[in-house]
């Protein structure tokens, strides 16, 4: 839970805004595809102890050139060397095991060939080979046409399936099956468990720790309203913009933010506990009305109705104002009783969460309705009144509103506070910093002039800022330059991933277009970033190496009709090339056999005679 105003901030606890992508206690593992909606009616309830144990440090997503900070330095610290002689002994043992495994396979092959040679007489191999040769010589050309045509059809189907599987999941199906099932059968080991003190064990532990700290799913600070925006998109297009995985994470957030252990003492809060777990929107809305019948001052019921039942931003704002009145009353009452017991302290934290959420959504309503200065004032007041809640990334909402006001000096002041080496980065921070530096030179920038006279100091700073932003999230430029189509952003994002790029470009593309020449400078310089990081998965320039887990998480966060951007671009697997070549060659043989049956028949008989 988020600490209240009287509690000390917990920097090591990211709360529901920053969870490790790979661990969600109490939640089922969501597959890549969207399951049938009739299979699950309720979101699983999150045990409080399990939810608290799953939180991890949010520091460590960036590594600047002059050194990391906070948890980043801890996670990047070198592993102490193993005791004398132990590492060499472990390496010798592993080499011996590998040699014995290879020798065992060779012995089995030799034994099989020797047994076949010894049984050649009882099995009458020579007579059987002669019979096979005679049978092949008696075959007509029509048989070879059918054989090659069938082979071409089957290999073509395999090729189409392999291509589809690679486009959907980013890997080869045949390769995956071979590694998972066939490799153990031939003596290979898929998961080698290193010795506790071996250097390889330390390196793997460091790598796993780094991947776990980087692959975090964060609440999108600019997420849209389900009723007024997401559902209207579904009504118009017939497409579902939110995935089951994304909605599961939102259900977990709602249970963490809006519930506590004392809810059983109030009937309206008990009803809302069930409402947040309901998967069916009409059932959630019905439960919210039931809660209001029990208690007309149930703030969370108004929040649910504003999020899901309101079909316009105006209606949502009216409901949030009702929720604000009820939430302020409950918050003042909780402040008076917070020191009576631990249960009252937990209730105060819950009521603080509800009040902050309502004010933030009211600020977003004001922003969407054009009252930008009012939205900026609400956000600034929130950041002053609740400083421990910086994990909610309210400053990203403030940055976007200030950019809309074209208050670039205020934007620079916010960046000076949050674009710090010890704080986690985001695409909004990196690309806004690049936009401000680009703004000073973009209107006079010309590639031809720059190639003749060279870059000025201000232009070099702008280009370096663009390179820094592109290294952090390389997916954003394609959306800003409109090389890829935008979709509605998800409710959760993965930093440095395609989901974060969609969320940033959806709201900030207009700000880049407003500054003359900004997109032109971006187009001329963004691809130069990749020359500085030729191996992005192994070594970065200003940040940690690009995490390899982003593709899997983005495929679960983004809808299936969106083509997920993958970085670095993957080469086609071997088996796609192999099946494509096999299909082409067999199709060519089928065509030649059909056109020249006699010549191909003679060639086939000669080939079979040479083989057997």
């Amino acid at each position: 839970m988020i600490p209240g105003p009287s509690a000390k901030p917990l920097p090591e606890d990211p709360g529901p805004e920053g969870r490790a992508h790979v661990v969600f206690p109490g939640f089922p593992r969501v597959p890549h595809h969207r399951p049938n909606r009739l299979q699950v009616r309720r979101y699983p309830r999150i045990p409080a102890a399990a939810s608290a144990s799953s939180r991890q440090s949010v520091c460590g997503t960036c590594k600047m050139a002059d050194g990391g900070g906070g948890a980043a330095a801890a996670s990047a610290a070198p592993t102490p060397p193993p005791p004398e002689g132990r590492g060499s002994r472990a390496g010798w043992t592993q080499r011996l095991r590998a040699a014995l495994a290879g020798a065992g396979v060779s012995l089995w092959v030799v034994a099989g060939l020797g047994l076949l040679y010894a049984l050649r007489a009882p099995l009458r191999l020579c007579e059987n080979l002669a019979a096979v040769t005679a049978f092949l010589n008696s075959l007509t050309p029509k048989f070879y046409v059918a054989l090659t045509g069938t082979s071409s059809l089957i290999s073509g189907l395999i090729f189409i399936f392999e291509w589809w599987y690679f486009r959907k999941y980013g890997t080869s199906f045949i390769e995956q099956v071979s590694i998972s099932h066939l490799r153990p059968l031939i003596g290979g080991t898929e998961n080698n468990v290193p010795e506790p003190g071996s250097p390889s064990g330390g390196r793997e532990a460091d790598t796993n720790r780094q991947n776990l700290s980087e692959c975090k799913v964060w609440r999108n600070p600019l997420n849209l309203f389900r009723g007024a925006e997401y559902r209207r998109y579904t009504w118009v297009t017939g497409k579902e913009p939110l995935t089951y995985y994304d909605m599961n994470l939102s259900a977990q957030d709602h249970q963490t933010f809006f519930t506590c252990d004392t809810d059983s003492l109030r009937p309206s809060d008990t009803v809302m506990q069930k409402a947040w777990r309901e998967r069916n929107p009409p059932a959630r809305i019905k439960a919210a009305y039931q809660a209001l019948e029990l208690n007309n001052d149930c703030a969370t019921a108004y929040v649910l109705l504003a999020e899901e039942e309101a079909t316009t931003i105006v209606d949502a704002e009216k409901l949030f104002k009702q929720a604000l009145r009820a939430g302020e009353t409950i918050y003042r009452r909780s402040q008076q009783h917070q020191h009576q017991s631990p249960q009252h302290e937990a209730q105060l934290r819950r009521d603080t969460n509800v009040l902050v959420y309502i004010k933030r959504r009211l600020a977003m309503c004001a922003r969407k309705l054009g009252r930008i200065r009012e939205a900026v004032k609400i956000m600034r007041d929130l950041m002053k009144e609740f400083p421990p809640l910086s994990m909610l990334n309210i400053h990203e909402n403030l940055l976007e509103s200030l950019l809309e006001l074209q208050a670039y000096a205020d934007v620079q002041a916010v960046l000076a506070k949050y674009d710090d080496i010890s704080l986690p980065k985001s695409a909004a921070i990196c690309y806004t910093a690049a936009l401000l530096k680009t703004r000073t030179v973009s209107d006079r920038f010309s590639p031809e002039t720059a190639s003749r006279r060279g870059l000025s100091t201000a232009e070099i700073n702008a280009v370096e800022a663009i390179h820094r932003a592109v290294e952090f999230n390389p997916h954003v430029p394609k959306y800003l330059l409109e090389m890829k189509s935008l979709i509605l952003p998800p409710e959760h994002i993965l930093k440095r991933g395609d989901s974060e790029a969609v969320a940033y470009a959806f709201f900030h593309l207009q700000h880049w277009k407003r500054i003359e020449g900004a997109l032109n400078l971006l187009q001329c310089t963004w691809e130069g970033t990749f020359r500085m990081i030729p191996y992005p998965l192994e070594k970065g320039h200003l940040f940690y190496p690009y995490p390899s887990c982003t593709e899997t998480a983005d495929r679960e966060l983004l809808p299936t009709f969106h083509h997920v951007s993958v970085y670095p671009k993957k080469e086609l697997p071997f088996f796609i090339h192999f099946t494509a070549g096999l299909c082409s060659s067999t199709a060519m043989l089928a065509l030649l056999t059909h056109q020249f049956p006699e010549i191909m028949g003679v060639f086939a008989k000669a080939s079979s005679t040479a083989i057997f």
Side-chain angles (χ1 to χ4, degrees), residues 87-148:
S88 59
R89 191 185 315 120
W92 180 83
T93 304
Q94 291 179 354
R95 288 194 296 271
L96 180 60
R97 290 177 179 174
L100 290 178
V105 173
S106 302
L107 289 175
W108 277 108
V109 173
V110 172
L113 292 176
L115 182 63
L116 188 63
Y117 180 78
L119 296 178
R120 69 187 187 282
L123 295 177
R124 293 186 288 184
L125 294 179
C126 297
E127 298 179 5
N128 291 333
L129 288 177
V132 169
T133 303
F135 172 75
L136 293 176
N137 291 333
S138 62
L139 294 176
T140 62
K142 293 183 179 180
F143 170 80
Y144 293 106
V145 173
L147 177 63
T148 52

Coordinates of all heavy atoms in Angstrom, one line a residue, residues 87-148:
G87 N 36.8 -22.9 -8.2 CA 36.3 -22.7 -9.5 C 36.9 -23.6 -10.5 O 36.2 -24.1 -11.4
S88 N 38.2 -23.9 -10.4 CA 38.9 -24.7 -11.4 C 38.4 -26.2 -11.2 O 38.2 -26.9 -12.2 CB 40.4 -24.7 -11.2 OG 40.7 -25.1 -9.8
R89 N 38.1 -26.6 -10.0 CA 37.6 -27.9 -9.8 C 36.2 -28.1 -10.4 O 35.9 -29.1 -11.0 CB 37.5 -28.2 -8.3 CG 37.3 -29.7 -7.9 CD 37.1 -29.9 -6.4 NE 38.1 -29.2 -5.7 CZ 37.8 -28.3 -4.8 NH1 36.6 -28.0 -4.6 NH2 38.8 -27.7 -4.1
A90 N 35.4 -27.1 -10.2 CA 34.0 -27.1 -10.8 C 34.1 -27.2 -12.3 O 33.4 -27.9 -13.0 CB 33.2 -25.9 -10.3
G91 N 35.0 -26.3 -12.9 CA 35.1 -26.3 -14.4 C 35.6 -27.7 -14.9 O 35.2 -28.2 -15.9
W92 N 36.6 -28.3 -14.2 CA 37.1 -29.6 -14.6 C 36.0 -30.6 -14.5 O 35.9 -31.5 -15.4 CB 38.3 -30.0 -13.7 CG 38.9 -31.3 -14.1 CD1 39.8 -31.6 -15.0 CD2 38.6 -32.6 -13.5 NE1 40.1 -32.9 -15.1 CE2 39.3 -33.5 -14.1 CE3 37.7 -33.0 -12.4 CZ2 39.3 -34.9 -13.7 CZ3 37.6 -34.3 -12.1 CH2 38.4 -35.2 -12.7
T93 N 35.2 -30.6 -13.5 CA 34.1 -31.6 -13.4 C 33.1 -31.4 -14.5 O 32.6 -32.4 -15.1 CB 33.4 -31.3 -12.0 OG1 34.3 -31.4 -11.0 CG2 32.3 -32.4 -11.8
Q94 N 32.7 -30.2 -14.9 CA 31.8 -30.0 -16.0 C 32.3 -30.4 -17.3 O 31.6 -31.1 -18.1 CB 31.4 -28.5 -16.0 CG 30.6 -28.0 -14.9 CD 30.2 -26.5 -15.0 OE1 30.7 -25.9 -15.9 NE2 29.4 -26.0 -14.0
R95 N 33.6 -30.2 -17.5 CA 34.2 -30.6 -18.8 C 34.3 -32.2 -18.8 O 34.0 -32.8 -19.9 CB 35.7 -30.1 -18.9 CG 35.7 -28.6 -19.2 CD 37.1 -28.2 -19.7 NE 38.1 -28.4 -18.6 CZ 38.4 -27.5 -17.7 NH1 37.8 -26.3 -17.7 NH2 39.3 -27.7 -16.8
L96 N 34.5 -32.8 -17.7 CA 34.5 -34.3 -17.7 C 33.1 -34.8 -18.0 O 33.0 -35.8 -18.7 CB 35.0 -34.8 -16.3 CG 35.1 -36.3 -16.1 CD1 36.0 -36.9 -17.1 CD2 35.5 -36.6 -14.7
R97 N 32.1 -34.2 -17.4 CA 30.7 -34.7 -17.6 C 30.4 -34.5 -19.1 O 29.8 -35.4 -19.7 CB 29.8 -33.9 -16.8 CG 29.9 -34.2 -15.3 CD 28.9 -33.3 -14.5 NE 29.0 -33.7 -13.1 CZ 28.3 -33.0 -12.1 NH1 27.6 -31.9 -12.5 NH2 28.4 -33.3 -10.9
A98 N 30.7 -33.4 -19.7 CA 30.4 -33.2 -21.1 C 31.2 -34.2 -22.0 O 30.6 -34.7 -23.0 CB 30.8 -31.8 -21.5
A99 N 32.4 -34.5 -21.7 CA 33.2 -35.5 -22.4 C 32.6 -36.8 -22.3 O 32.5 -37.6 -23.3 CB 34.7 -35.5 -22.0
L100 N 32.2 -37.2 -21.1 CA 31.6 -38.5 -21.0 C 30.2 -38.6 -21.7 O 29.9 -39.7 -22.3 CB 31.3 -38.8 -19.5 CG 32.6 -39.0 -18.6 CD1 32.3 -39.2 -17.2 CD2 33.4 -40.3 -19.2
A101 N 29.5 -37.5 -21.7 CA 28.2 -37.6 -22.4 C 28.4 -37.7 -23.9 O 27.7 -38.5 -24.6 CB 27.4 -36.3 -22.1
G102 N 29.4 -37.0 -24.5 CA 29.7 -37.1 -25.9 C 30.2 -38.5 -26.2 O 29.9 -39.1 -27.3
A103 N 31.1 -39.1 -25.4 CA 31.6 -40.4 -25.6 C 30.5 -41.5 -25.5 O 30.5 -42.4 -26.3 CB 32.7 -40.7 -24.6
G104 N 29.5 -41.3 -24.6 CA 28.4 -42.2 -24.6 C 27.6 -42.3 -25.8 O 27.2 -43.3 -26.3
V105 N 27.3 -41.1 -26.4 CA 26.6 -41.0 -27.7 C 27.3 -41.7 -28.8 O 26.8 -42.5 -29.6 CB 26.3 -39.6 -28.0 CG1 25.6 -39.5 -29.4 CG2 25.3 -38.9 -27.0
S106 N 28.6 -41.5 -28.8 CA 29.5 -42.1 -29.9 C 29.5 -43.6 -29.7 O 29.4 -44.4 -30.7 CB 30.9 -41.6 -29.8 OG 30.9 -40.2 -30.0
L107 N 29.6 -44.1 -28.5 CA 29.6 -45.6 -28.3 C 28.3 -46.2 -28.7 O 28.2 -47.3 -29.3 CB 29.8 -45.8 -26.8 CG 31.3 -45.6 -26.3 CD1 31.4 -45.8 -24.8 CD2 32.2 -46.5 -27.0
W108 N 27.1 -45.5 -28.4 CA 25.9 -46.1 -28.9 C 25.8 -46.1 -30.4 O 25.3 -47.1 -30.9 CB 24.7 -45.2 -28.3 CG 24.3 -45.5 -26.9 CD1 24.5 -44.8 -25.8 CD2 23.6 -46.7 -26.5 NE1 24.0 -45.4 -24.7 CE2 23.4 -46.6 -25.1 CE3 23.1 -47.8 -27.1 CZ2 22.8 -47.5 -24.3 CZ3 22.5 -48.8 -26.4 CH2 22.3 -48.6 -25.0
V109 N 26.3 -45.1 -31.1 CA 26.3 -45.2 -32.6 C 27.1 -46.3 -33.1 O 26.7 -47.1 -34.0 CB 26.7 -43.8 -33.1 CG1 26.9 -43.9 -34.6 CG2 25.7 -42.7 -32.7
V110 N 28.3 -46.5 -32.5 CA 29.2 -47.5 -33.0 C 28.6 -48.9 -32.7 O 28.7 -49.8 -33.5 CB 30.6 -47.4 -32.3 CG1 31.5 -48.6 -32.6 CG2 31.3 -46.1 -32.8
A111 N 28.0 -49.0 -31.5 CA 27.4 -50.3 -31.1 C 26.2 -50.7 -32.1 O 26.1 -51.8 -32.5 CB 26.9 -50.3 -29.7
G112 N 25.4 -49.7 -32.5 CA 24.3 -49.9 -33.4 C 24.8 -50.3 -34.7 O 24.3 -51.3 -35.3
L113 N 25.9 -49.7 -35.3 CA 26.4 -50.1 -36.6 C 27.0 -51.5 -36.5 O 26.8 -52.3 -37.5 CB 27.5 -49.0 -37.0 CG 26.9 -47.6 -37.3 CD1 28.1 -46.7 -37.7 CD2 26.0 -47.7 -38.5
G114 N 27.7 -51.8 -35.4 CA 28.3 -53.1 -35.3 C 27.2 -54.2 -35.2 O 27.4 -55.3 -35.9
L115 N 26.1 -53.9 -34.5 CA 25.0 -54.9 -34.4 C 24.4 -55.1 -35.8 O 24.0 -56.3 -36.2 CB 24.0 -54.4 -33.4 CG 22.8 -55.3 -33.1 CD1 23.3 -56.7 -32.6 CD2 21.8 -54.7 -32.2
L116 N 24.2 -54.0 -36.5 CA 23.6 -54.1 -37.9 C 24.5 -55.0 -38.8 O 24.0 -55.8 -39.6 CB 23.4 -52.7 -38.4 CG 22.6 -52.7 -39.8 CD1 21.2 -53.2 -39.6 CD2 22.6 -51.2 -40.3
Y117 N 25.8 -54.8 -38.7 CA 26.7 -55.5 -39.6 C 26.7 -57.0 -39.2 O 26.8 -57.9 -40.0 CB 28.1 -55.0 -39.4 CG 29.2 -55.7 -40.3 CD1 29.2 -55.4 -41.6 CD2 30.0 -56.6 -39.7 CE1 30.2 -56.1 -42.4 CE2 31.0 -57.3 -40.4 CZ 31.0 -57.0 -41.8 OH 32.0 -57.7 -42.6
A118 N 26.6 -57.3 -37.9 CA 26.7 -58.7 -37.4 C 25.4 -59.4 -37.8 O 25.4 -60.6 -38.1 CB 26.8 -58.7 -35.9
L119 N 24.3 -58.7 -38.0 CA 23.0 -59.4 -38.3 C 22.6 -59.2 -39.7 O 21.5 -59.4 -40.1 CB 21.9 -58.8 -37.4 CG 22.0 -59.0 -35.9 CD1 20.9 -58.3 -35.2 CD2 22.0 -60.4 -35.5
R120 N 23.6 -58.9 -40.6 CA 23.3 -58.7 -42.0 C 22.9 -60.0 -42.7 O 22.0 -60.0 -43.6 CB 24.5 -58.1 -42.7 CG 25.7 -59.0 -42.9 CD 26.9 -58.3 -43.5 NE 28.0 -59.2 -43.7 CZ 28.8 -59.7 -42.8 NH1 28.7 -59.4 -41.6 NH2 29.8 -60.6 -43.2
A121 N 23.4 -61.1 -42.2 CA 23.0 -62.4 -42.9 C 21.7 -62.8 -42.4 O 20.8 -63.2 -43.2 CB 24.1 -63.5 -42.6
P122 N 21.4 -62.9 -41.1 CA 20.0 -63.4 -40.7 C 18.9 -62.4 -41.2 O 17.8 -62.9 -41.5 CB 20.1 -63.3 -39.1 CG 21.5 -63.4 -38.8 CD 22.3 -62.8 -39.9
L123 N 19.2 -61.1 -41.3 CA 18.2 -60.2 -41.8 C 18.1 -60.2 -43.3 O 17.2 -59.5 -43.8 CB 18.5 -58.8 -41.2 CG 18.4 -58.6 -39.7 CD1 18.8 -57.2 -39.4 CD2 17.0 -58.9 -39.2
R124 N 19.0 -60.8 -44.0 CA 19.1 -60.9 -45.5 C 18.9 -59.4 -46.0 O 18.1 -59.1 -46.8 CB 17.9 -61.8 -46.0 CG 18.1 -63.2 -45.6 CD 17.1 -64.1 -46.2 NE 15.8 -63.9 -45.6 CZ 14.7 -64.6 -45.9 NH1 14.7 -65.5 -46.8 NH2 13.5 -64.4 -45.3
L125 N 19.9 -58.6 -45.6 CA 19.9 -57.2 -46.1 C 20.1 -57.1 -47.6 O 19.5 -56.2 -48.2 CB 20.9 -56.4 -45.3 CG 20.7 -56.3 -43.8 CD1 21.8 -55.5 -43.1 CD2 19.4 -55.6 -43.5
C126 N 21.0 -57.9 -48.1 CA 21.3 -57.8 -49.5 C 20.1 -58.1 -50.4 O 19.8 -57.4 -51.4 CB 22.5 -58.7 -49.9 SG 24.0 -58.3 -49.1
E127 N 19.3 -59.2 -50.0 CA 18.1 -59.6 -50.8 C 17.1 -58.5 -50.7 O 16.4 -58.2 -51.6 CB 17.6 -60.9 -50.2 CG 18.6 -62.1 -50.4 CD 18.0 -63.4 -49.9 OE1 16.8 -63.3 -49.4 OE2 18.8 -64.4 -49.9
N128 N 16.9 -57.9 -49.5 CA 15.9 -56.9 -49.3 C 16.2 -55.6 -50.1 O 15.4 -55.0 -50.6 CB 15.8 -56.5 -47.8 CG 15.2 -57.7 -47.0 OD1 14.4 -58.5 -47.5 ND2 15.5 -57.8 -45.7
L129 N 17.5 -55.3 -50.1 CA 17.9 -54.1 -50.9 C 17.7 -54.4 -52.4 O 17.3 -53.4 -53.1 CB 19.4 -53.8 -50.7 CG 19.7 -53.2 -49.3 CD1 21.3 -53.0 -49.2 CD2 19.0 -51.9 -49.1
A130 N 17.9 -55.6 -52.9 CA 17.7 -55.9 -54.3 C 16.2 -55.8 -54.6 O 15.8 -55.3 -55.6 CB 18.2 -57.3 -54.6
A131 N 15.3 -56.3 -53.6 CA 13.9 -56.2 -53.8 C 13.4 -54.7 -53.9 O 12.5 -54.4 -54.7 CB 13.2 -57.0 -52.7
V132 N 14.0 -53.9 -53.0 CA 13.6 -52.5 -53.0 C 14.0 -51.8 -54.3 O 13.3 -51.0 -54.9 CB 14.3 -51.8 -51.8 CG1 14.1 -50.3 -52.0 CG2 13.7 -52.3 -50.5
T133 N 15.2 -52.2 -54.9 CA 15.7 -51.6 -56.1 C 14.7 -52.0 -57.3 O 14.4 -51.2 -58.1 CB 17.1 -52.1 -56.4 OG1 17.9 -51.7 -55.3 CG2 17.6 -51.4 -57.7
A134 N 14.3 -53.3 -57.3 CA 13.4 -53.7 -58.3 C 12.1 -53.0 -58.2 O 11.5 -52.7 -59.2 CB 13.2 -55.2 -58.2
F135 N 11.6 -52.8 -57.0 CA 10.3 -52.1 -56.8 C 10.4 -50.7 -57.3 O 9.5 -50.2 -58.0 CB 9.9 -52.1 -55.4 CG 8.7 -51.3 -55.0 CD1 7.5 -51.7 -55.4 CD2 8.9 -50.1 -54.4 CE1 6.4 -50.9 -55.1 CE2 7.8 -49.3 -54.1 CZ 6.5 -49.7 -54.5
L136 N 11.5 -50.0 -57.0 CA 11.7 -48.6 -57.5 C 11.8 -48.5 -59.0 O 11.3 -47.6 -59.6 CB 12.9 -48.0 -56.8 CG 12.8 -47.8 -55.3 CD1 14.1 -47.2 -54.8 CD2 11.7 -46.8 -55.0
N137 N 12.4 -49.5 -59.6 CA 12.5 -49.5 -61.1 C 11.2 -49.7 -61.8 O 11.0 -49.3 -62.9 CB 13.5 -50.6 -61.5 CG 15.0 -50.2 -61.1 OD1 15.3 -49.0 -61.0 ND2 15.8 -51.2 -60.9
S138 N 10.3 -50.3 -61.1 CA 9.0 -50.6 -61.7 C 8.0 -49.5 -61.6 O 6.9 -49.5 -62.1 CB 8.3 -51.9 -61.1 OG 8.1 -51.7 -59.7
L139 N 8.3 -48.4 -60.8 CA 7.4 -47.3 -60.6 C 7.3 -46.5 -61.9 O 8.3 -46.3 -62.6 CB 7.9 -46.4 -59.4 CG 7.9 -47.1 -58.0 CD1 8.5 -46.2 -57.0 CD2 6.5 -47.5 -57.6
T140 N 6.1 -45.9 -62.1 CA 5.8 -45.1 -63.3 C 6.1 -43.6 -62.9 O 6.2 -43.2 -61.8 CB 4.4 -45.3 -63.7 OG1 3.5 -44.8 -62.6 CG2 4.1 -46.7 -64.0
P141 N 6.3 -42.8 -64.0 CA 6.5 -41.3 -63.7 C 5.3 -40.7 -62.9 O 5.6 -39.7 -62.2 CB 6.6 -40.8 -65.1 CG 7.1 -41.9 -65.9 CD 6.4 -43.1 -65.4
K142 N 4.1 -41.2 -63.1 CA 3.0 -40.6 -62.3 C 3.2 -40.7 -60.8 O 2.8 -39.8 -60.1 CB 1.7 -41.3 -62.7 CG 1.3 -41.1 -64.1 CD -0.1 -41.7 -64.4 CE -0.5 -41.4 -65.8 NZ -1.9 -42.1 -66.1
F143 N 3.9 -41.8 -60.4 CA 4.1 -41.9 -59.0 C 5.1 -40.8 -58.5 O 4.9 -40.2 -57.4 CB 4.8 -43.3 -58.7 CG 5.3 -43.4 -57.3 CD1 4.4 -43.7 -56.2 CD2 6.6 -43.3 -57.0 CE1 4.9 -43.8 -54.9 CE2 7.1 -43.4 -55.7 CZ 6.2 -43.7 -54.7
Y144 N 6.1 -40.5 -59.3 CA 7.0 -39.5 -58.9 C 6.4 -38.1 -58.9 O 6.7 -37.2 -58.1 CB 8.3 -39.5 -59.8 CG 9.1 -40.8 -59.6 CD1 9.1 -41.8 -60.6 CD2 9.9 -41.0 -58.5 CE1 9.8 -42.9 -60.4 CE2 10.6 -42.1 -58.3 CZ 10.6 -43.1 -59.3 OH 11.3 -44.2 -59.1
V145 N 5.5 -37.9 -59.8 CA 4.7 -36.6 -59.8 C 3.9 -36.4 -58.6 O 3.9 -35.4 -57.9 CB 3.8 -36.5 -61.1 CG1 3.0 -35.3 -61.0 CG2 4.7 -36.5 -62.3
A146 N 3.2 -37.5 -58.2 CA 2.4 -37.5 -57.0 C 3.3 -37.3 -55.7 O 3.0 -36.6 -54.8 CB 1.6 -38.7 -56.9
L147 N 4.5 -38.0 -55.7 CA 5.3 -37.9 -54.6 C 5.9 -36.5 -54.4 O 5.9 -36.0 -53.3 CB 6.5 -39.0 -54.7 CG 7.6 -39.0 -53.6 CD1 6.9 -39.4 -52.3 CD2 8.7 -39.9 -54.0
T148 N 6.4 -36.0 -55.4 CA 7.0 -34.6 -55.3 C 6.0 -33.6 -55.0 O 6.2 -32.6 -54.3 CB 7.8 -34.3 -56.6 OG1 7.0 -34.5 -57.7 CG2 9.0 -35.2 -56.7

